[in-house]
Amino acid sequence: MQKEKGLVSVIIPVYNTGEILQDTVNSVLNQPYGNLEILLIDDGSPDATLKNVLLPNDPRIIKLTQPNQGMARTRNNGLAIAKGEFILFLDHDDIIEPDFITERVNYLNSHSDIGFVGGPIRTFPDNPKEYMAAAENIERQVLFLEGECLTTPSSYIIRKTVLDTNSIRLNEKLSSTADRFLLVQLAKVTKGANIEKGKLLYRISQSGFSQVLKPSLMYDNELFYYELKRNKLMPHSNVQNFKSLYFWGLSGGFYKVRKYFPSIKYFLFSFFSSPTKFVQIIRNKIFTKS
C-alpha cells in the first residue's frame, strides 16, 4: 500500500479493554502532531469494546472488528492497511505524553539512517518505575539481557519502509515474545535509537496484555529461541554463551511452573552449550545471594 508522507499510523489492538481505551485514544488525539490515523481493531472482544466505549468523534479514528486472531496477527492486519510513513504499535491501555510523536518523527526526519526510535518509559499506576526502551544495542539488551530496559512496542515509532522492504511482520507463532522478536528482526536490517523526550506511560495491570509466569509463557519463551534459530536471527558472536544463558533461564522458568522435565533438559543444555558460561552463571547466582 502506498504510504502517505508524514502520516503516522497508530495501530491499537483492542480486546476487552473497557473504558481505559478512552485514555489511550485521547492521549493520541491530544498530540500536537496531527497527521495521524488511529486504527482501532477489536480482536473479537466478548464485551464488544468498540461498541460500548464512548470514543471521540474524530475522522482520524478508524474502527475495525474481526474474529479473535491474537495480538500478533491483529497488529499485522493493521499494518496491512496502514497508510502512514511511520508506524506506532500502541497497546490498548498505554498512554503517550503530548510530545511523544513529534519528538520521534522529528528525530527520524533528521536521521535517515535510523529505522526506529524509542525513549523513556514510566510504569503506572502502582509503584512507578523509570526505564528506557531497548533500542541502541538490541542484541545485547534483548538476547543477552544486558541493562534494565523494556521492549514494549508502544515505545517505538518505526519507518514503514523498513518493515515493508524487509518483509518484517510480527511473528504470529509467538505471543508475549513477539515484541522481542520484532526488535531482533529490526536490528538485523536497520539501526535504532533512543531519545530523552516523549515518555510512554506503560500500564502494569491484570487486565493488560502482560502475563504472569505460567506454563504457557514458558513455552512461548521456549518457542522464541527456536524461532530465532529457524529465522537465522541468532547473535552475531558468542552464540554458545547466548545458548547457555538462555537455556539457564528456560530451566529456571520451567522449574518455577513445575514443569520439571523441560527444566532438567534445559539445565543440561545450558551446561553443554558452554560449560564456562554455565559456571559463570552459577557463580554470579551464589555471589548475588551472598
Side-chain angles (χ1 to χ4, degrees):
M1 178 174 290
Q2 184 68 33
K3 65 181 185 297
E4 295 183 18
K5 186 172 178 59
L7 180 69
V8 176
S9 296
V10 184
I11 300 171
I12 307 178
V14 174
Y15 187 80
N16 285 1
T17 306
E19 294 183 358
I20 59 174
L21 181 62
Q22 295 174 340
D23 296 334
T24 300
V25 173
N26 284 333
S27 75
V28 179
L29 294 176
N30 290 337
Q31 299 287 305
Y33 192 97
N35 192 10
L36 306 166
E37 65 171 1
I38 304 172
L39 303 176
L40 295 175
I41 308 175
D42 191 318
D43 187 31
S45 297
D47 72 353
T49 298
L50 293 185
K51 292 182 179 179
N52 296 322
V53 174
L54 183 63
L55 295 171
N57 184 19
D58 191 297
R60 294 173 294 177
I61 297 177
I62 301 167
K63 299 179 183 179
L64 303 165
T65 59
Q66 64 183 34
N68 184 260
Q69 299 177 37
M71 173 68 75
R73 181 170 294 182
T74 300
R75 286 175 175 155
N76 287 340
N77 291 343
L79 189 57
I81 62 174
K83 299 177 182 178
E85 179 182 4
F86 306 108
I87 300 295
L88 167 58
F89 294 114
L90 184 62
D91 281 350
H92 67 175
D93 54 356
D94 292 341
I95 295 173
I96 55 177
E97 292 197 337
D99 57 346
F100 181 99
I101 292 179
T102 300
E103 293 293 339
R104 282 161 174 72
V105 170
N106 285 346
Y107 190 91
L108 288 169
N109 284 335
S110 60
H111 295 80
S112 60
D113 60 323
I114 299 297
F116 61 103
V117 177
I121 302 170
R122 177 186 296 155
T123 60
F124 82 109
D126 299 324
N127 302 316
K129 295 182 180 179
E130 303 285 341
Y131 298 91
M132 289 296 286
E136 294 169 354
N137 194 337
I138 296 298
E139 186 169 289
R140 305 306 302 182
Q141 293 171 315
V142 175
L143 298 184
F144 287 91
L145 306 177
E146 292 185 2
E148 197 171 14
C149 56
L150 295 181
T151 59
T152 172
S154 296
S155 179
Y156 305 95
I157 287 185
I158 308 167
R159 295 186 194 274
K160 192 170 190 291
T161 300
V162 171
L163 296 169
D164 291 344
T165 301
N166 297 283
S167 300
I168 293 176
R169 294 294 184 266
L170 277 296
N171 188 320
E172 296 178 7
K173 295 181 180 180
L174 303 174
S175 53
S176 64
T177 59
D179 301 345
R180 285 186 279 150
F181 195 86
L182 174 65
L183 289 175
V184 176
Q185 288 179 293
L186 286 169
K188 289 291 183 178
V189 300
T190 189
K191 292 192 294 184
N194 268 330
I195 57 176
E196 297 296 327
K197 296 180 179 180
K199 186 171 292 183
L200 167 72
L201 303 183
Y202 177 50
R203 190 185 301 270
I204 304 295
S205 68
Q206 292 298 319
S207 62
F209 290 131
S210 299
Q211 301 180 49
V212 297
L213 188 62
K214 52 188 177 181
S216 60
L217 179 60
M218 288 311 307
Y219 286 117
D220 186 61
N221 275 273
E222 179 184 40
L223 182 57
F224 173 80
Y225 168 81
Y226 291 104
E227 283 297 292
L228 288 177
K229 186 176 181 179
R230 185 177 71 85
N231 289 276
K232 300 180 181 179
L233 294 172
M234 300 289 278
H236 287 297
S237 59
N238 298 321
V239 176
Q240 295 307 116
N241 284 352
F242 163 69
K243 289 182 178 180
S244 182
L245 180 65
Y246 200 83
F247 291 150
W248 174 272
L250 288 177
S251 175
F254 276 119
Y255 182 83
K256 289 178 181 178
V257 299
R258 301 182 179 181
K259 296 294 181 181
Y260 299 120
F261 176 77
S263 176
I264 294 170
K265 179 179 74 172
Y266 286 113
F267 184 86
L268 295 174
F269 280 9
S270 178
F271 172 77
F272 286 111
S273 294
S274 174
T276 302
K277 183 64 175 178
F278 181 85
V279 172
Q280 180 185 4
I281 293 170
I282 292 179
R283 284 178 176 172
N284 290 341
K285 293 291 182 181
I286 294 173
F287 288 133
T288 299
K289 288 182 179 180
S290 62

